[in-house]
Amino acid sequence: MTSTPKPAQPISPAAYGALAGALKSIFWYKRDLERFIRLWATDHPSLLAHMDFSGYKWATADEFVDRLMANERRYRDFSLRMMAEVSQLTSFPALKRHESAESLIAEAREAVDHLKGWWTASVLPTSNRRSSMMSFSRTAL
């Protein structure tokens, strides 16, 4: 008797929101965000079809993430890979050239840390999260 594999847990809408927030924060110029999205979506042209990159940066990030969320079955692995990579960012060269670089980089770090929390919650089973949090709290003390 074979068992049917359990469907993957859906990604939390808050995790998608954290991804959108991080994408908005790690790029100041919309051209940099567009380049990042286009590079990531090279193998998924349907994600880019009719995408409006001429509007506000926040609208572009929201539209892209909304497309990922709307078709999670198709883009789940892609979304998790993107969340994982963005949540590991520690350097923000696209922000360094801005006159308010220090505050923008602090904001980007906060957004990336927020995403990291949601990405971990989306990927790790509950039992692993508890043991990871327990080991973190032991080391934090």
Side-chain angles (χ1 to χ4, degrees):
M1 180 177 191
T2 61
S3 63
T4 307
K6 285 177 62 176
Q9 282 281 95
I11 299 171
S12 166
Y16 283 113
L19 175 60
L23 291 175
K24 294 171 199 175
S25 296
I26 63 177
F27 300 104
W28 178 257
Y29 299 102
K30 64 182 174 182
R31 189 79 178 128
D32 293 335
L33 174 61
E34 178 182 355
R35 188 176 307 113
F36 180 83
I37 289 173
R38 286 187 184 282
L39 287 170
W40 261 92
T42 300
D43 295 334
H44 302 282
S46 60
L47 274 173
L48 299 176
H50 309 293
M51 186 99 179
D52 181 12
F53 289 102
S54 65
Y56 292 107
K57 175 184 68 171
W58 59 265
T60 299
D62 284 343
E63 180 182 352
F64 181 71
V65 172
D66 286 350
R67 289 174 179 218
L68 294 175
M69 191 168 42
N71 201 345
E72 187 172 313
R73 283 184 177 202
R74 183 173 184 183
Y75 299 120
R76 184 177 198 286
D77 291 341
F78 176 89
S79 298
L80 290 173
R81 280 194 320 272
M82 179 178 268
M83 287 177 187
E85 183 166 313
V86 172
S87 73
Q88 298 303 310
L89 292 176
T90 57
S91 175
F92 305 96
L95 299 176
K96 287 182 180 176
R97 65 184 188 253
H98 193 275
E99 63 188 33
S100 301
E102 192 173 311
S103 64
L104 292 173
I105 289 171
E107 185 180 313
R109 282 193 178 113
E110 187 176 318
V112 165
D113 286 344
H114 183 67
L115 173 61
K116 186 181 291 187
W118 280 109
W119 177 80
T120 302
S122 293
V123 173
L124 291 177
T126 307
S127 60
N128 287 353
R129 267 187 268 148
R130 283 191 194 122
S131 64
S132 294
M133 290 187 65
M134 288 174 71
S135 65
F136 171 76
S137 62
R138 284 188 204 120
T139 57
L141 298 175

